[in-house]
Amino acid sequence: MYTDASKEDLLHVRVLDRSHLEDQLDKAVDILAARSPLHGGKGILVSRNSPRDFTVQLHPDVPFGTIQERQEW
């Protein structure tokens, strides 16, 4: 499940079933990778906020073309 945070550079992902974790995150990353050139060529930061909740965002501290992961909880 994806929730657009009313910003084109940020998506919230809630994983309801562990078996779909990778697929859901990959889709969110693909969406933002397509938007990256339109937003200054930022890289993608995937933050795990809880066992089921993730934030996927274009971030200015992440180099264009790369993905970084961070655990917040």
Side-chain angles (χ1 to χ4, degrees):
M1 169 196 313
Y2 310 104
T3 305
D4 197 340
S6 73
K7 295 174 81 178
E8 292 185 3
D9 61 350
L10 177 71
L11 296 172
H12 294 289
V13 179
R14 172 160 281 179
V15 178
L16 301 177
D17 184 347
R18 174 98 169 113
S19 66
H20 296 108
L21 172 68
E22 294 292 328
D23 185 50
Q24 286 181 286
L25 289 177
D26 286 347
K27 286 180 183 177
V29 166
D30 288 345
I31 290 168
L32 290 183
R35 295 178 183 175
S36 182
L38 305 173
H39 293 273
K42 300 172 188 170
I44 297 173
L45 177 64
V46 179
S47 300
R48 186 173 199 158
N49 304 308
S50 77
R52 292 180 180 245
D53 296 304
F54 296 81
T55 303
V56 182
Q57 64 182 323
L58 296 176
H59 199 282
D61 294 337
V62 179
F64 177 73
T66 62
I67 300 168
Q68 290 183 4
E69 298 178 7
R70 178 169 51 191
Q71 184 145 327
E72 297 289 333
W73 62 283

